[in-house]
Amino acid sequence: MTLYDKIYEIAADNHGLVTTAEANEAGAANKDLVRYVEDGRLTRIGRGVYRIKHHVPEPNDPYAEAVALVGPHAYLYGESVIAMHGLAPTNPTRILVGSDKRIRKHLPVGIKVVNVGRPEPCVSYDGIPSQSIPDAVRSCRRTMMRERLLQAVARARELGLITKREFNELNAELEKNEQAAQ
């Protein structure tokens, strides 16, 4: 197996993306990545993130790309988790990425890093580190309308993304928040 084949295998399982750290673990030096970019086998997406040239685009690629660009400690956050699953209408102009670390690198315009203060438990949806759907709904209570959150909870239950217990807990919390607001 050639070095590029190893990089391709990593990227094939990760929305066509490979990070410098992953490539280094596979035995590639940074100069190898530069050579692959020059000969057209890789495209540089951002600092330390590359996409294989022969990747067939998938709907969740922008979310995977945003998380990879922020770094290894990052995960999809809040409204973006809801948007990725198509649970309720959200703001399509930005992708929210949570991080417990300070991010100083320049990121594309549509990516917004949310400093969460301390690490949160993450799950993986379609290979993308993410906040769990119940946690994402809870984090959106101040930014999304209650009706849309209820819609997201109902749709998540319908799709089997949350358990019946989580469904009941989320509905009760949203109802409690509504009563407290009145």
Side-chain angles (χ1 to χ4, degrees):
M1 181 180 269
T2 67
L3 185 56
Y4 179 74
D5 290 337
K6 290 178 184 178
I7 291 171
Y8 186 90
E9 286 298 314
I10 294 166
D13 293 335
N14 190 27
H15 296 273
L17 301 173
V18 64
T19 64
T20 302
E22 292 168 334
N24 291 158
E25 275 184 36
N30 291 349
K31 67 179 182 173
D32 296 319
L33 296 173
V34 171
R35 189 178 77 233
Y36 294 145
V37 168
E38 288 172 354
D39 69 19
R41 291 189 261 180
L42 293 178
T43 302
R44 184 175 181 271
I45 301 299
R47 184 176 177 192
V49 181
Y50 300 86
R51 173 165 283 144
I52 55 175
K53 200 65 162 192
H54 302 295
H55 173 68
V56 178
E58 300 172 17
N60 291 335
D61 285 354
Y63 302 108
E65 188 176 304
V67 170
L69 285 168
V70 173
H73 51 276
Y75 55 92
L76 203 59
Y77 185 82
E79 287 183 38
S80 296
V81 175
I82 292 169
M84 183 174 81
H85 294 287
L87 302 178
T90 60
N91 184 350
T93 61
R94 65 182 182 173
I95 296 176
L96 301 175
V97 179
S99 176
D100 63 329
K101 306 235 185 287
R102 184 174 176 187
I103 306 301
R104 293 185 178 137
K105 59 177 130 177
H106 179 70
L107 296 168
V109 174
I111 299 173
K112 181 178 182 215
V113 178
V114 177
N115 187 341
V116 293
R118 66 185 206 292
E120 289 188 29
C122 288
V123 296
S124 180
Y125 296 118
D126 195 18
I128 303 168
S130 302
Q131 204 177 25
S132 70
I133 290 173
D135 288 341
V137 168
R138 288 180 184 106
S139 69
C140 292
R141 286 186 287 202
R142 291 188 179 103
T143 59
M144 285 181 71
M145 295 185 313
R146 180 178 167 273
E147 294 77 26
R148 287 193 179 166
L149 289 175
L150 289 170
Q151 175 186 353
V153 170
R155 182 79 177 129
R157 179 65 188 134
E158 196 177 289
L159 295 173
L161 297 171
I162 60 174
T163 64
K164 186 174 184 177
R165 189 176 120 253
E166 291 169 326
F167 172 79
N168 292 333
E169 286 173 0
L170 287 169
N171 278 327
E173 287 175 34
L174 291 170
E175 187 62 37
K176 181 180 174 183
N177 287 348
E178 179 67 20
Q179 290 173 355
Q182 292 176 355

